[in-house]
Protein backbone atom coordinates (compact mmCIF):
# COMPACT_ATOMS: atom_id res chain seq x y z
CA UNK A 1 0.00 0.00 0.00
CA UNK A 2 1.41 3.38 -1.01
CA UNK A 3 0.84 6.82 0.40
CA UNK A 4 -1.35 9.34 -1.44
CA UNK A 5 1.14 11.23 -3.60
CA UNK A 6 -1.06 14.32 -3.47
CA UNK A 7 -0.56 14.78 0.27
CA UNK A 8 1.51 11.86 1.56
CA UNK A 9 4.95 13.37 2.19
CA UNK A 10 4.49 13.13 5.95
CA UNK A 11 3.43 9.48 5.79
CA UNK A 12 5.47 6.31 5.17
CA UNK A 13 2.64 3.98 4.33
CA UNK A 14 -0.88 4.25 3.06
CA UNK A 15 -4.10 4.18 5.04
CA UNK A 16 -5.88 1.01 6.10
CA UNK A 17 -8.58 -0.11 3.69
CA UNK A 18 -11.36 0.91 6.08
CA UNK A 19 -9.73 4.31 6.51
CA UNK A 20 -9.68 4.75 2.76
CA UNK A 21 -13.33 3.76 2.59
CA UNK A 22 -14.53 6.19 5.25
CA UNK A 23 -12.30 9.02 4.05
CA UNK A 24 -13.19 8.93 0.37
CA UNK A 25 -15.82 11.41 -0.80
CA UNK A 26 -15.45 11.36 -4.59
CA UNK A 27 -18.52 9.15 -4.95
CA UNK A 28 -20.72 12.10 -3.98
CA UNK A 29 -18.62 15.26 -4.15
CA UNK A 30 -17.99 14.79 -7.86
CA UNK A 31 -21.21 16.76 -8.17
CA UNK A 32 -19.04 19.78 -7.34
CA UNK A 33 -16.93 19.27 -10.45
CA UNK A 34 -18.16 22.31 -12.38
CA UNK A 35 -17.78 24.53 -9.31
CA UNK A 36 -14.33 23.14 -8.57
CA UNK A 37 -13.09 23.91 -12.07
CA UNK A 38 -14.62 27.39 -11.99
CA UNK A 39 -12.88 28.12 -8.70
CA UNK A 40 -9.57 26.79 -9.99
CA UNK A 41 -9.77 28.88 -13.15
CA UNK A 42 -10.44 32.03 -11.13
CA UNK A 43 -7.63 31.19 -8.72
CA UNK A 44 -5.10 30.53 -11.52
CA UNK A 45 -5.97 33.77 -13.29
CA UNK A 46 -5.52 35.70 -10.06
CA UNK A 47 -2.18 34.04 -9.26
CA UNK A 48 -0.90 35.00 -12.71
CA UNK A 49 -2.24 38.55 -12.47
CA UNK A 50 -0.44 39.04 -9.16
CA UNK A 51 2.80 37.54 -10.47
CA UNK A 52 2.69 34.62 -8.04
CA UNK A 53 2.89 32.12 -10.89
CA UNK A 54 4.12 32.64 -14.43
CA UNK A 55 1.57 33.59 -17.05
CA UNK A 56 2.79 30.69 -19.18
CA UNK A 57 2.01 28.24 -16.35
CA UNK A 58 -1.38 29.87 -15.85
CA UNK A 59 -2.12 29.44 -19.56
CA UNK A 60 -1.24 25.74 -19.34
CA UNK A 61 -3.43 25.37 -16.25
CA UNK A 62 -6.34 27.08 -17.97
CA UNK A 63 -5.95 24.88 -21.05
CA UNK A 64 -5.80 21.75 -18.90
CA UNK A 65 -8.80 22.70 -16.78
CA UNK A 66 -10.79 23.48 -19.90
CA UNK A 67 -9.94 20.04 -21.27
CA UNK A 68 -11.01 18.45 -17.98
CA UNK A 69 -14.29 20.37 -18.11
CA UNK A 70 -14.96 18.98 -21.59
CA UNK A 71 -14.19 15.45 -20.37
CA UNK A 72 -16.69 15.85 -17.56
CA UNK A 73 -19.34 17.20 -19.88
CA UNK A 74 -18.82 14.21 -22.18
CA UNK A 75 -18.77 11.76 -19.26
CA UNK A 76 -15.25 10.55 -20.03
CA UNK A 77 -13.43 11.99 -17.03
CA UNK A 78 -11.67 9.18 -15.10
CA UNK A 79 -12.92 9.61 -11.52
CA UNK A 80 -10.65 7.58 -9.22
CA UNK A 81 -11.37 6.75 -5.59
CA UNK A 82 -7.68 6.67 -4.65
CA UNK A 83 -7.68 10.45 -5.00
CA UNK A 84 -10.36 10.80 -2.33
CA UNK A 85 -12.30 13.85 -3.50
CA UNK A 86 -13.14 16.03 -6.46
CA UNK A 87 -10.26 18.44 -5.76
CA UNK A 88 -7.52 15.81 -5.86
CA UNK A 89 -9.12 14.07 -8.82
CA UNK A 90 -9.02 17.29 -10.83
CA UNK A 91 -5.48 18.08 -9.72
CA UNK A 92 -4.25 14.57 -10.55
CA UNK A 93 -5.82 14.67 -14.00
CA UNK A 94 -4.40 18.15 -14.57
CA UNK A 95 -0.94 16.79 -13.77
CA UNK A 96 -1.41 14.05 -16.37
CA UNK A 97 -2.45 16.59 -18.99
CA UNK A 98 0.01 19.44 -18.47
CA UNK A 99 2.76 18.06 -16.26
CA UNK A 100 4.73 20.04 -13.69
CA UNK A 101 2.87 23.33 -14.15
CA UNK A 102 -0.20 21.75 -12.52
CA UNK A 103 1.59 21.76 -9.18
CA UNK A 104 1.49 25.55 -9.09
CA UNK A 105 -2.30 25.72 -9.04
CA UNK A 106 -2.58 24.92 -5.33
CA UNK A 107 -0.37 27.86 -4.35
CA UNK A 108 -2.08 30.11 -1.76
CA UNK A 109 -5.09 27.88 -1.24
CA UNK A 110 -6.13 24.75 0.67
CA UNK A 111 -8.73 22.11 0.13
CA UNK A 112 -10.48 23.76 3.08
CA UNK A 113 -11.20 27.05 1.33
CA UNK A 114 -11.53 25.21 -1.97
CA UNK A 115 -14.41 23.00 -0.81
CA UNK A 116 -16.07 25.87 1.04
CA UNK A 117 -16.02 27.87 -2.19
CA UNK A 118 -17.25 24.98 -4.33
CA UNK A 119 -20.06 24.21 -1.93
CA UNK A 120 -21.20 27.82 -1.67
CA UNK A 121 -21.34 28.03 -5.46
CA UNK A 122 -23.39 24.82 -5.61
CA UNK A 123 -25.84 25.84 -2.88
CA UNK A 124 -26.18 29.27 -4.47
CA UNK A 125 -27.33 27.56 -7.66
CA UNK A 126 -29.70 25.37 -5.64
CA UNK A 127 -31.33 28.53 -4.26
CA UNK A 128 -31.79 29.80 -7.81
CA UNK A 129 -33.35 26.49 -8.92
CA UNK A 130 -35.73 26.58 -5.97
CA UNK A 131 -36.78 30.11 -6.89
CA UNK A 132 -37.47 29.06 -10.48
CA UNK A 133 -39.51 26.07 -9.31
CA UNK A 134 -41.55 28.17 -6.92
CA UNK A 135 -42.19 30.73 -9.64
CA UNK A 136 -43.55 28.01 -11.93
CA UNK A 137 -45.85 26.85 -9.13
CA UNK A 138 -47.09 30.39 -8.53
CA UNK A 139 -47.81 30.89 -12.21
CA UNK A 140 -49.80 27.65 -12.39
CA UNK A 141 -51.82 28.59 -9.31
CA UNK A 142 -52.55 32.10 -10.56
CA UNK A 143 -53.90 30.63 -13.81
CA UNK A 144 -56.24 28.43 -11.79
CA UNK A 145 -57.27 31.37 -9.64
CA UNK A 146 -58.07 33.45 -12.73
CA UNK A 147 -60.46 30.74 -13.92
CA UNK A 148 -62.13 30.35 -10.55
CA UNK A 149 -62.56 33.79 -9.02
CA UNK A 150 -66.20 32.96 -8.25
CA UNK A 151 -66.11 29.17 -7.94
CA UNK A 152 -67.50 28.46 -4.47
CA UNK A 153 -66.03 25.79 -2.22
CA UNK A 154 -66.13 25.14 1.51
CA UNK A 155 -63.53 26.84 3.64
CA UNK A 156 -62.48 24.66 6.55
CA UNK A 157 -61.25 25.12 10.07
CA UNK A 158 -60.43 21.99 12.09
CA UNK A 159 -61.31 20.13 8.85
CA UNK A 160 -64.94 21.11 9.50
CA UNK A 161 -66.97 23.29 7.08
CA UNK A 162 -66.58 26.85 8.30
CA UNK A 163 -67.46 29.50 5.71
CA UNK A 164 -67.77 29.48 1.93
CA UNK A 165 -64.76 30.74 0.00
CA UNK A 166 -63.77 30.79 -3.65
CA UNK A 167 -61.37 28.31 -5.15
CA UNK A 168 -59.42 31.17 -6.66
CA UNK A 169 -58.94 32.61 -3.17
CA UNK A 170 -57.75 29.21 -1.94
CA UNK A 171 -55.19 28.93 -4.76
CA UNK A 172 -53.85 32.40 -4.04
CA UNK A 173 -53.15 31.42 -0.43
CA UNK A 174 -50.46 29.07 -1.73
CA UNK A 175 -49.16 31.77 -4.06
CA UNK A 176 -48.54 33.91 -0.98
CA UNK A 177 -46.75 31.05 0.79
CA UNK A 178 -44.57 30.43 -2.24
CA UNK A 179 -43.68 34.12 -2.38
CA UNK A 180 -42.39 33.98 1.18
CA UNK A 181 -40.47 30.82 0.30
CA UNK A 182 -38.87 32.64 -2.60
CA UNK A 183 -37.91 35.49 -0.29
CA UNK A 184 -36.26 33.05 2.11
CA UNK A 185 -34.17 31.53 -0.67
CA UNK A 186 -33.28 34.99 -1.95
CA UNK A 187 -32.21 36.04 1.54
CA UNK A 188 -30.17 32.89 1.96
CA UNK A 189 -28.51 33.42 -1.42
CA UNK A 190 -27.63 37.01 -0.56
CA UNK A 191 -26.07 36.04 2.77
CA UNK A 192 -24.04 33.17 1.35
CA UNK A 193 -22.74 35.19 -1.59
CA UNK A 194 -19.31 35.88 -0.11
CA UNK A 195 -16.16 34.09 -1.21
CA UNK A 196 -14.10 31.85 1.08
CA UNK A 197 -11.39 31.45 -1.57
CA UNK A 198 -8.04 32.70 -0.32
CA UNK A 199 -8.72 31.85 3.32
CA UNK A 200 -6.44 28.83 2.70
CA UNK A 201 -6.40 26.19 5.44
CA UNK A 202 -7.67 28.51 8.21
CA UNK A 203 -5.28 31.42 8.75
CA UNK A 204 -5.00 33.08 5.36
CA UNK A 205 -1.81 33.07 3.26
CA UNK A 206 1.46 35.02 3.08
CA UNK A 207 1.13 35.35 -0.71
CA UNK A 208 -0.02 38.74 -2.00
CA UNK A 209 -3.25 37.44 -3.44
CA UNK A 210 -6.24 39.46 -4.62
CA UNK A 211 -9.31 37.93 -3.03
CA UNK A 212 -11.58 40.57 -4.49
CA UNK A 213 -10.53 39.50 -7.96
CA UNK A 214 -11.44 35.85 -7.42
CA UNK A 215 -14.66 36.80 -5.65
CA UNK A 216 -15.75 38.92 -8.59
CA UNK A 217 -14.79 36.24 -11.11
CA UNK A 218 -17.04 33.74 -9.32
CA UNK A 219 -19.98 36.10 -8.97
CA UNK A 220 -19.57 36.69 -5.24
CA UNK A 221 -20.33 40.10 -3.79
CA UNK A 222 -17.13 40.20 -1.73
CA UNK A 223 -14.56 37.99 0.01
CA UNK A 224 -15.40 36.69 3.48
CA UNK A 225 -13.71 38.85 6.11
CA UNK A 226 -12.50 36.14 8.49
CA UNK A 227 -10.44 33.16 7.35
CA UNK A 228 -11.57 30.93 10.24
CA UNK A 229 -15.21 31.63 9.51
CA UNK A 230 -14.64 31.13 5.80
CA UNK A 231 -13.49 27.52 6.10
CA UNK A 232 -15.48 26.45 9.17
CA UNK A 233 -18.99 27.81 8.57
CA UNK A 234 -21.79 25.83 7.03
CA UNK A 235 -24.68 28.02 8.09
CA UNK A 236 -25.20 28.86 4.41
CA UNK A 237 -26.08 25.21 3.79
CA UNK A 238 -28.22 25.09 6.92
CA UNK A 239 -30.10 28.19 5.83
CA UNK A 240 -30.77 26.64 2.44
CA UNK A 241 -32.04 23.49 4.17
CA UNK A 242 -34.21 25.53 6.52
CA UNK A 243 -35.78 27.39 3.61
CA UNK A 244 -36.17 24.09 1.75
CA UNK A 245 -37.87 22.50 4.76
CA UNK A 246 -40.40 25.31 5.04
CA UNK A 247 -41.05 25.30 1.29
CA UNK A 248 -41.45 21.52 1.28
CA UNK A 249 -43.93 21.81 4.15
CA UNK A 250 -46.03 24.20 2.06
CA UNK A 251 -45.85 21.82 -0.89
CA UNK A 252 -46.88 18.97 1.38
CA UNK A 253 -49.94 20.84 2.61
CA UNK A 254 -51.08 21.48 -0.96
CA UNK A 255 -50.32 17.87 -1.90
CA UNK A 256 -52.42 16.67 1.04
CA UNK A 257 -55.35 18.70 -0.23
CA UNK A 258 -54.92 17.24 -3.71
CA UNK A 259 -55.03 13.75 -2.20
CA UNK A 260 -58.23 14.62 -0.35
CA UNK A 261 -59.87 16.52 -3.20
CA UNK A 262 -59.30 13.77 -5.77
CA UNK A 263 -60.90 11.12 -3.56
CA UNK A 264 -64.54 10.15 -4.30
CA UNK A 265 -65.48 11.41 -0.82
CA UNK A 266 -64.66 14.93 -1.99
CA UNK A 267 -64.56 14.81 -5.78
CA UNK A 268 -63.48 18.45 -5.93
CA UNK A 269 -60.81 18.00 -8.59
CA UNK A 270 -59.61 15.45 -11.09
CA UNK A 271 -56.08 14.77 -12.27
CA UNK A 272 -55.42 13.69 -15.82
CA UNK A 273 -53.68 10.44 -16.67
CA UNK A 274 -50.42 12.38 -16.74
CA UNK A 275 -50.48 12.75 -12.96
CA UNK A 276 -52.41 9.64 -11.91
CA UNK A 277 -51.50 5.99 -11.54
CA UNK A 278 -53.48 2.77 -11.38
CA UNK A 279 -53.54 -0.28 -9.19
CA UNK A 280 -52.04 -3.68 -9.96
CA UNK A 281 -55.18 -5.40 -8.64
CA UNK A 282 -58.03 -2.85 -8.57
CA UNK A 283 -58.78 -1.66 -12.10
CA UNK A 284 -61.03 1.21 -11.00
CA UNK A 285 -58.34 3.05 -9.07
CA UNK A 286 -56.91 6.47 -9.97
CA UNK A 287 -54.21 7.20 -7.44
CA UNK A 288 -52.67 10.66 -6.91
CA UNK A 289 -49.22 9.14 -6.39
CA UNK A 290 -47.31 12.24 -7.45
CA UNK A 291 -49.05 14.31 -4.77
CA UNK A 292 -48.45 11.60 -2.17
CA UNK A 293 -44.75 11.51 -2.99
CA UNK A 294 -44.51 15.30 -2.80
CA UNK A 295 -46.16 15.05 0.61
CA UNK A 296 -43.49 12.59 1.69
CA UNK A 297 -40.49 14.59 0.43
CA UNK A 298 -40.66 16.94 3.41
CA UNK A 299 -39.45 14.08 5.60
CA UNK A 300 -36.30 13.66 3.55
CA UNK A 301 -35.63 17.40 3.42
CA UNK A 302 -36.33 18.09 7.08
CA UNK A 303 -34.19 15.07 7.96
CA UNK A 304 -31.30 16.56 6.00
CA UNK A 305 -31.65 19.85 7.88
CA UNK A 306 -31.71 18.14 11.26
CA UNK A 307 -28.84 15.84 10.32
CA UNK A 308 -26.52 18.67 9.28
CA UNK A 309 -27.40 20.66 12.39
CA UNK A 310 -26.25 17.71 14.47
CA UNK A 311 -23.01 17.44 12.48
CA UNK A 312 -21.96 21.05 13.05
CA UNK A 313 -23.35 21.69 16.53
CA UNK A 314 -20.22 20.60 18.42
CA UNK A 315 -17.40 21.50 16.05
CA UNK A 316 -14.65 23.74 17.38
CA UNK A 317 -13.06 26.11 14.86
CA UNK A 318 -11.86 25.77 12.25
CA UNK A 319 -12.15 22.88 9.79
CA UNK A 320 -12.82 19.27 10.81
CA UNK A 321 -13.40 16.25 8.61
CA UNK A 322 -16.91 16.03 10.04
CA UNK A 323 -17.75 18.69 7.47
CA UNK A 324 -17.33 16.10 4.74
CA UNK A 325 -20.78 14.98 5.90
CA UNK A 326 -22.34 18.28 4.80
CA UNK A 327 -22.74 17.55 1.12
CA UNK A 328 -24.76 14.34 0.91
CA UNK A 329 -27.74 15.65 2.90
CA UNK A 330 -27.77 18.92 0.97
CA UNK A 331 -27.55 17.13 -2.37
CA UNK A 332 -30.34 14.75 -1.37
CA UNK A 333 -32.56 17.55 -0.08
CA UNK A 334 -32.01 19.68 -3.18
CA UNK A 335 -32.84 16.74 -5.45
CA UNK A 336 -36.01 16.07 -3.47
CA UNK A 337 -37.07 19.72 -3.49
CA UNK A 338 -36.39 20.21 -7.20
CA UNK A 339 -38.43 17.12 -8.03
CA UNK A 340 -41.26 18.02 -5.65
CA UNK A 341 -41.50 21.53 -7.07
CA UNK A 342 -41.66 20.27 -10.64
CA UNK A 343 -44.31 17.70 -9.71
CA UNK A 344 -46.54 20.02 -7.70
CA UNK A 345 -46.36 22.78 -10.34
CA UNK A 346 -47.41 20.20 -12.90
CA UNK A 347 -50.28 19.05 -10.69
CA UNK A 348 -51.44 22.62 -10.05
CA UNK A 349 -51.69 23.23 -13.77
CA UNK A 350 -53.24 19.83 -14.50
CA UNK A 351 -56.23 19.73 -12.15
CA UNK A 352 -59.76 20.02 -13.47
CA UNK A 353 -62.20 21.52 -10.98
CA UNK A 354 -65.64 20.03 -10.33
CA UNK A 355 -67.58 23.20 -9.53
CA UNK A 356 -70.79 21.34 -8.71
CA UNK A 357 -69.10 19.07 -6.17
CA UNK A 358 -67.38 22.01 -4.52
CA UNK A 359 -70.62 23.96 -4.26
CA UNK A 360 -72.57 20.99 -2.94
CA UNK A 361 -69.95 20.49 -0.24
CA UNK A 362 -70.05 24.20 0.64
CA UNK A 363 -73.78 23.92 1.32
CA UNK A 364 -73.23 21.45 4.14
CA UNK A 365 -72.52 22.35 7.74
CA UNK A 366 -74.48 25.63 7.91
CA UNK A 367 -71.64 27.74 6.51
CA UNK A 368 -73.66 31.01 6.49
CA UNK A 369 -74.29 31.00 10.24
CA UNK A 370 -71.78 33.80 10.68
CA UNK A 371 -73.63 35.82 8.04
CA UNK A 372 -76.80 35.45 10.09
CA UNK A 373 -74.96 36.72 13.17
CA UNK A 374 -73.49 39.63 11.19
CA UNK A 375 -76.99 40.57 9.97
CA UNK A 376 -78.27 40.66 13.56
CA UNK A 377 -75.35 42.91 14.54
CA UNK A 378 -75.86 45.24 11.58
CA UNK A 379 -79.67 45.39 11.38
CA UNK A 380 -80.71 44.87 15.01
CA UNK A 381 -77.74 46.60 16.64
CA UNK A 382 -77.06 43.63 18.92
CA UNK A 383 -73.62 42.89 20.39
CA UNK A 384 -71.85 40.23 18.41
CA UNK A 385 -71.87 37.76 21.33
CA UNK A 386 -75.67 37.96 21.50
CA UNK A 387 -75.87 37.64 17.73
CA UNK A 388 -73.60 34.61 17.90
CA UNK A 389 -75.98 32.96 20.38
CA UNK A 390 -79.00 33.73 18.19
CA UNK A 391 -77.28 32.26 15.10
CA UNK A 392 -76.29 29.16 17.06
CA UNK A 393 -79.90 28.64 18.16
CA UNK A 394 -81.02 29.01 14.52
CA UNK A 395 -78.52 26.37 13.44
CA UNK A 396 -79.76 24.02 16.15
CA UNK A 397 -83.35 24.47 14.99
CA UNK A 398 -82.47 23.97 11.31
CA UNK A 399 -80.50 20.86 12.22
CA UNK A 400 -83.49 19.50 14.16
CA UNK A 401 -85.73 20.05 11.14
CA UNK A 402 -83.12 18.59 8.76
CA UNK A 403 -82.94 21.69 6.57
CA UNK A 404 -80.44 24.41 5.72
CA UNK A 405 -80.44 27.84 7.29
CA UNK A 406 -81.66 29.41 4.07
CA UNK A 407 -84.73 27.11 4.24
CA UNK A 408 -85.57 27.79 7.89
CA UNK A 409 -89.04 29.41 7.98
CA UNK A 410 -89.26 33.00 9.13
CA UNK A 411 -91.62 32.06 11.97
CA UNK A 412 -89.01 29.70 13.34
CA UNK A 413 -86.39 32.45 13.23
CA UNK A 414 -88.76 34.88 14.96
CA UNK A 415 -89.23 32.41 17.81
CA UNK A 416 -85.50 32.78 18.40
CA UNK A 417 -85.32 36.55 17.78
CA UNK A 418 -88.51 38.48 17.15
CA UNK A 419 -86.71 41.30 15.34
CA UNK A 420 -85.60 39.10 12.43
CA UNK A 421 -87.30 39.97 9.14
CA UNK A 422 -87.45 38.39 5.70
CA UNK A 423 -84.41 40.46 4.71
CA UNK A 424 -82.33 37.87 6.57
CA UNK A 425 -82.63 35.54 3.56
CA UNK A 426 -80.60 37.96 1.45
CA UNK A 427 -77.46 37.00 3.39
CA UNK A 428 -78.02 33.26 3.85
CA UNK A 429 -77.02 32.08 0.38
CA UNK A 430 -73.52 30.94 -0.48
CA UNK A 431 -73.17 33.59 -3.17
CA UNK A 432 -74.26 36.37 -0.84
CA UNK A 433 -71.83 35.19 1.82
CA UNK A 434 -68.88 35.07 -0.55
CA UNK A 435 -69.64 38.38 -2.25
CA UNK A 436 -70.03 40.12 1.10
CA UNK A 437 -66.45 39.48 2.18
CA UNK A 438 -64.88 42.46 0.46
CA UNK A 439 -62.34 43.37 3.13
CA UNK A 440 -58.70 43.48 2.05
CA UNK A 441 -57.57 39.89 1.66
CA UNK A 442 -61.15 38.63 1.59
CA UNK A 443 -62.65 35.91 -0.59
CA UNK A 444 -65.11 38.12 -2.53
CA UNK A 445 -64.71 37.54 -6.28
CA UNK A 446 -63.93 41.23 -6.81
CA UNK A 447 -61.04 40.97 -4.37
CA UNK A 448 -59.80 37.70 -5.85
CA UNK A 449 -59.83 39.25 -9.33
CA UNK A 450 -57.77 42.16 -8.00
CA UNK A 451 -55.25 39.77 -6.49
CA UNK A 452 -55.05 37.75 -9.71
CA UNK A 453 -54.22 40.95 -11.58
CA UNK A 454 -51.65 41.86 -8.94
CA UNK A 455 -49.91 38.50 -9.15
CA UNK A 456 -49.97 38.36 -12.93
CA UNK A 457 -48.16 41.68 -13.02
CA UNK A 458 -45.74 40.74 -10.25
CA UNK A 459 -44.83 37.34 -11.67
CA UNK A 460 -44.39 38.55 -15.22
Amino acid sequence: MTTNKMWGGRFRQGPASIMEEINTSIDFDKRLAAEDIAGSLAHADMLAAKGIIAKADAAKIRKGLTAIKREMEKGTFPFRREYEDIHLNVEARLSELIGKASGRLHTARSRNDQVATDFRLWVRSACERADAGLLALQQALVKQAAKHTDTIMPGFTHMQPAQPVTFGHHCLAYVEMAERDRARFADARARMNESPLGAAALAGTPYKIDRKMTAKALGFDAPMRNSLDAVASRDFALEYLAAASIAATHLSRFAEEIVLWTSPAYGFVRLSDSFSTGSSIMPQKRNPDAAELVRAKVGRILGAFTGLLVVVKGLALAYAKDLQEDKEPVFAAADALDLALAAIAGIAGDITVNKQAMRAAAEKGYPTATDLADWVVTKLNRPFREAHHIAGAAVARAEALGIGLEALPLEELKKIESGITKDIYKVLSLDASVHARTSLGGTAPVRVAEQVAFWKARLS
Side-chain angles (χ1 to χ4, degrees):
M1 186 180 291
T2 60
T3 63
N4 188 320
K5 65 181 181 179
M6 306 303 290
W7 52 260
R10 167 70 172 79
F11 297 83
R12 296 189 176 214
Q13 64 183 37
S17 58
I18 191 65
M19 175 61 189
E20 186 173 348
E21 189 65 28
I22 197 173
N23 196 49
T24 297
S25 62
I26 187 60
D27 294 339
F28 55 85
D29 70 15
K30 61 186 176 183
R31 290 185 67 164
L32 298 175
E35 290 76 14
D36 196 71
I37 291 172
S40 291
L41 286 168
H43 186 66
D45 287 346
M46 181 276 295
L47 292 176
K50 298 298 292 182
I52 297 170
I53 66 173
K55 285 184 169 56
D57 285 337
K60 290 179 183 178
I61 290 170
R62 174 166 283 279
K63 183 177 180 180
L65 289 171
T66 302
I68 290 171
K69 183 179 180 181
R70 284 198 296 268
E71 288 180 342
M72 290 178 172
E73 290 169 349
K74 293 178 181 178
T76 60
F77 181 84
F79 291 105
R80 288 171 286 189
R81 299 187 87 243
E82 64 264 29
Y83 289 122
E84 296 182 17
D85 57 32
I86 185 60
H87 323 298
L88 296 187
N89 265 266
V90 170
E91 190 171 337
R93 181 60 176 152
L94 187 63
S95 178
E96 293 171 355
L97 292 175
I98 69 171
K100 191 174 180 179
S102 66
R104 301 192 182 279
L105 175 60
H106 209 54
T107 307
R109 75 174 184 183
S110 161
R111 280 191 294 174
N112 294 355
D113 64 334
Q114 194 177 355
V115 70
T117 302
D118 293 357
F119 201 27
R120 276 181 187 260
L121 290 170
W122 196 95
V123 177
R124 188 177 73 183
S125 294
C127 287
E128 293 165 358
R129 292 197 307 276
D131 181 77
L134 286 162
L135 173 60
L137 173 59
Q138 287 179 300
Q139 290 170 331
L141 289 168
V142 169
K143 285 182 180 179
Q144 289 288 0
K147 291 188 291 185
H148 297 286
T149 58
D150 58 356
T151 298
I152 293 176
M153 67 175 291
F156 296 93
T157 61
H158 310 279
M159 282 307 294
Q160 302 296 316
Q163 293 177 314
V165 297
T166 62
F167 183 62
H169 190 58
H170 197 106
C171 290
L172 291 176
Y174 285 105
V175 175
E176 296 281 351
M177 294 180 209
E179 186 72 2
R180 294 193 296 274
D181 289 328
R182 292 181 68 192
R184 275 182 279 271
F185 283 113
D187 288 347
R189 188 197 183 285
R191 264 186 291 280
M192 74 178 64
N193 204 37
E194 294 181 335
S195 174
L197 193 58
L202 76 161
T205 175
Y207 297 95
K208 304 300 182 184
I209 61 175
D210 186 346
R211 293 189 61 210
K212 290 183 178 180
M213 179 180 174
T214 51
K216 182 178 180 181
L218 294 171
F220 289 114
D221 295 329
M224 296 183 73
R225 292 181 295 274
N226 185 286
S227 60
L228 291 168
D229 180 46
V231 300
S233 295
R234 292 298 183 270
D235 56 327
F236 67 92
L238 288 168
E239 191 168 6
Y240 167 78
L241 291 174
S245 295
I246 296 171
T249 300
H250 290 153
L251 302 186
S252 180
R253 295 182 74 177
F254 183 52
E256 167 68 3
E257 294 197 312
I258 294 296
V259 172
L260 292 173
W261 293 347
T262 55
S263 69
Y266 282 76
F268 287 2
V269 302
R270 181 180 176 86
L271 291 173
S272 74
D273 292 352
S274 299
F275 287 93
S276 303
T277 61
S279 165
S280 63
I281 189 173
M282 296 168 285
Q284 83 281 10
K285 293 294 295 296
R286 289 180 64 84
N287 299 325
D289 283 5
E292 291 171 1
L293 289 167
V294 168
R295 186 176 59 185
K297 294 297 183 186
V298 67
R300 185 187 296 251
I301 296 167
L302 181 58
F305 178 43
T306 304
L308 185 54
L309 274 172
V310 173
V311 168
V312 301
K313 73 172 183 64
L315 294 185
L317 297 182
Y319 182 85
K321 199 60 178 255
D322 308 53
L323 292 178
Q324 184 167 292
E325 293 295 309
D326 60 359
K327 286 170 269 313
E328 285 185 287
V330 173
F331 292 159
D335 289 346
L337 181 64
D338 291 348
L339 185 57
L341 281 167
I344 206 70
I347 288 170
D350 182 76
I351 55 176
T352 300
V353 174
N354 185 334
K355 294 183 180 182
Q356 292 73 29
M358 282 188 173
R359 188 179 184 92
E363 291 170 347
K364 299 175 182 177
Y366 307 97
T368 59
T370 305
D371 298 273
L372 193 157
D374 289 336
W375 186 92
V376 172
V377 170
T378 303
K379 300 298 184 180
L380 304 184
N381 197 28
R382 296 296 185 85
F384 182 79
R385 283 300 165 208
E386 285 185 27
H388 185 284
H389 182 80
I390 291 167
V395 168
R397 185 57 182 154
E399 195 170 35
L401 296 174
I403 58 177
L405 272 180
E406 73 284 354
L408 192 63
L410 182 60
E411 57 267 25
E412 293 289 344
L413 287 167
K414 282 183 171 294
K415 289 177 184 177
I416 299 168
E417 168 50 58
S418 61
I420 293 177
T421 70
K422 64 180 182 180
D423 284 348
I424 190 70
Y425 296 106
K426 294 179 181 178
V427 303
L428 295 183
S429 71
L430 296 179
D431 293 285
S433 177
V434 165
H435 280 81
R437 278 158 173 76
T438 56
S439 58
L440 179 64
T443 193
V446 64
R447 293 288 171 259
V448 176
E450 288 172 355
Q451 288 299 306
V452 167
F454 168 83
W455 282 109
K456 282 183 175 179
R458 185 180 181 93
L459 300 179
S460 63

